[in-house]
Amino acid sequence: MKDFHASQVYMLMSFMTSLANATMFTTYAIYQVIELGLNPLQLLLVGMVLEVTVLLFEGITGVVADTYGRKRSVITGMFVLGFGFVLEGSALWLGQASPMISAFMWLLLSQVFFGVGATFISGADSAWMVDEVGEDSAGRIFMRARRAGLFGSLIGIVLSVGISAFWGANLPYIIGGILYLALGLFLLVYMKETAFVKPDRKEGGGLSSHWKEMKATWLSGAQVIRSYPALIMFLIVTLFSGAASEGYDRLWQAHLIHEIGFPASYSFPTAVWLGIIAVLSTLLSLLVMWIVERRIDMSNQKVVFRTMFLLTAARIVAIVALAFSPGFEWALMSVLFFELIRTMMGPMYETWLNLNIESKSRATVLSMMSQTDALGQTGGGPFIGWIGTRFTVRASLVASALLFAPILLVYRRMKDGR
């Protein structure tokens, strides 16, 4: 049986999860907005259920990863996510088969599995990789994995468009769920964990001792954050970023479908237009990743903070431009601009965090960051959705842009060393 190096396994995970996610989420609006007929508030409620689940389970699952092993946590997450996505794709059929429970309610239930599965993986995958390959190689592998993920996204986009347009708007979710289940089986065989040091366990065992171990690990992660001011700043960034991005992520496709429209001169199905946007975004992101990997010194914190400050300001501009787009062409440029910014910020954020957290608490601290992101999305999402239902989706997008503004102040202080 062939052995895979940890970096190869991590890049394969990035490729497969990106493939599955692009298959499901490229045309999600056709399923949720057109097929199921969800309004802006319902779209944000779907996100709220997901994020409340993350908020409740993120800390627990992060501690599980640091206490019992990152491999166990990641594989568990893959199987839970796979089941959740299959359930989400089946919500349409289940709603038709059971009039007592609507498709919307099945959709909400699937978000619980989505959230639990995501929390098992969040932080654990990158913590496992950093421990296995060493901190010096982590930044380079994060970049390479991101690039591998973009190639997976390209394939997933094509699958999403073809499946949604010709077979069924819900089928991309079922295919994506099956891909997650297949990845879980692969990791069960080929994912090795050699660098993880299991915390010392006291004699006696039992359920109470397990909870004590997890509590101790969680408290150590909280202590790391309290003792490092920059991590506290990043908590604030993550909180507002979560609140702002939730509105954009859930509503930009609905904005294009209902308020902007697609060019009438080309009689393409909606799935094809969304696929074209996703392909353009991914190709441009590949180019940007190639430039960033060679031009930005990821080890220089001032350079990283200055870049993230500028990119956050650009995010605000991109969302406002989308909200007030006079036509499809302007909206397309705004969406592509926003996605390029997101692509650049991800590896910077992950690299900086992983290199400034102790190994023994790495997965816990990363999970706490994800928990903060979930808190922001839980608090901001329904309010932004209400604005879209009460007024317009344009108004929701403007509100999302405004929530990015406090992040500029935080990055300014971090850049200046205050």
Side-chain angles (χ1 to χ4, degrees):
M1 184 175 65
K2 181 181 177 181
D3 287 331
F4 290 86
H5 188 268
S7 61
Q8 294 175 308
V9 173
Y10 186 76
M11 283 189 285
L12 180 64
M13 274 197 287
S14 180
F15 175 85
M16 287 293 291
T17 54
S18 296
L19 170 64
N21 290 343
T23 300
M24 293 182 289
F25 303 140
T26 297
T27 56
Y28 84 90
I30 297 176
Y31 181 40
Q32 296 186 4
V33 177
I34 298 177
E35 193 75 28
L36 297 180
L38 304 187
N39 61 39
L41 180 57
Q42 287 176 314
L43 288 170
L44 271 297
L45 286 177
V46 170
M48 187 191 76
V49 172
L50 170 62
E51 299 307 330
V52 167
T53 304
V54 171
L55 189 62
L56 293 175
F57 286 90
E58 187 70 70
I60 297 172
T61 54
V63 172
V64 168
D66 279 334
T67 304
Y68 298 106
R70 285 76 189 265
K71 173 183 174 180
R72 183 181 300 183
S73 185
V74 169
I75 293 174
T76 300
M78 293 297 176
F79 285 120
V80 175
L81 278 175
F83 176 80
F85 289 134
V86 170
L87 177 62
E88 184 165 358
S90 303
L92 177 65
W93 298 333
L94 292 171
Q96 293 171 346
S98 56
M100 296 290 293
I101 305 177
S102 66
F104 179 61
M105 295 305 296
W106 284 112
L107 192 66
L108 293 182
L109 177 61
S110 72
Q111 300 309 295
V112 176
F113 288 97
F114 184 177
V116 173
T119 60
F120 271 108
I121 297 172
S122 174
D125 55 350
S126 56
W128 168 81
M129 187 275 289
V130 174
D131 283 346
E132 294 294 316
V133 305
E135 294 182 352
D136 293 340
S137 303
R140 176 175 53 85
I141 294 173
F142 277 130
M143 286 289 186
R144 290 170 59 193
R146 178 63 175 168
R147 192 164 61 244
L150 289 171
F151 281 111
S153 294
L154 282 174
I155 300 172
I157 290 165
V158 176
L159 286 175
S160 184
V161 171
I163 295 169
S164 179
F166 299 107
W167 283 288
N170 63 321
L171 292 180
Y173 277 97
I174 294 176
I175 300 299
I178 292 172
L179 289 173
Y180 266 99
L181 294 173
L183 179 57
L185 290 173
F186 173 85
L187 296 177
L188 202 59
V189 177
Y190 292 105
M191 187 178 187
K192 309 300 180 185
E193 191 165 38
T194 61
F196 176 69
V197 179
K198 200 169 185 177
D200 293 333
R201 296 186 59 183
K202 299 184 185 290
E203 295 296 327
L207 182 61
S208 61
S209 66
H210 293 332
W211 283 108
K212 287 179 181 178
E213 288 177 9
M214 291 195 292
K215 178 182 177 182
T217 308
W218 192 91
L219 289 175
S220 70
Q223 182 61 38
V224 170
I225 292 178
R226 283 200 303 268
S227 62
Y228 200 43
L231 286 178
I232 296 176
M233 293 286 194
F234 259 77
L235 279 176
I236 299 172
V237 168
T238 304
L239 179 71
F240 281 95
S241 179
S245 62
E246 176 73 352
Y248 173 84
D249 290 338
R250 296 283 174 179
L251 297 177
W252 75 266
Q253 290 191 2
H255 181 54
L256 284 180
I257 292 170
H258 290 312
E259 298 187 0
I260 298 293
F262 298 103
S265 54
Y266 300 95
S267 57
F268 295 150
T270 301
V272 173
W273 279 115
L274 295 177
I276 290 171
I277 294 171
V279 167
L280 290 174
S281 173
T282 305
L283 290 175
L284 289 172
S285 295
L286 280 168
L287 175 62
V288 167
M289 287 300 298
W290 182 81
I291 296 172
V292 169
E293 197 171 349
R294 286 159 176 76
R295 297 295 181 89
I296 296 181
D297 182 4
M298 300 288 284
S299 62
N300 188 322
Q301 292 193 15
K302 284 196 173 183
V303 170
V304 171
F305 290 149
R306 187 182 305 118
T307 303
M308 288 195 290
F309 174 86
L310 294 173
L311 291 177
T312 300
R315 266 182 164 181
I316 296 173
V317 172
I319 296 177
V320 172
L322 174 62
F324 293 103
S325 294
F328 175 76
E329 292 78 9
W330 188 278
L332 174 62
M333 296 301 296
S334 302
V335 170
L336 294 178
F337 186 41
F338 185 90
E339 293 304 321
L340 290 181
I341 298 166
R342 193 204 302 268
T343 297
M344 286 188 282
M345 290 199 69
M348 293 183 189
Y349 181 89
E350 288 187 6
T351 300
W352 188 92
L353 278 179
N354 276 280
L355 295 183
N356 287 275
I357 304 171
E358 294 180 355
S359 174
K360 64 181 181 180
S361 299
R362 183 171 282 127
T364 299
V365 173
L366 292 176
S367 287
M368 292 171 73
M369 290 291 177
S370 295
Q371 201 171 26
T372 304
D373 177 73
L375 179 62
Q377 295 191 44
T378 301
F383 175 68
I384 292 173
W386 175 82
I387 291 175
T389 302
R390 178 65 177 81
F391 302 101
T392 63
V393 177
R394 292 180 191 271
S396 289
L397 291 171
V398 172
S400 296
L402 291 176
L403 287 173
F404 274 113
I407 299 175
L408 293 175
L409 300 177
V410 176
Y411 279 145
R412 182 64 180 268
R413 290 178 62 87
M414 294 171 74
K415 183 173 69 70
D416 295 338
R418 298 199 297 270

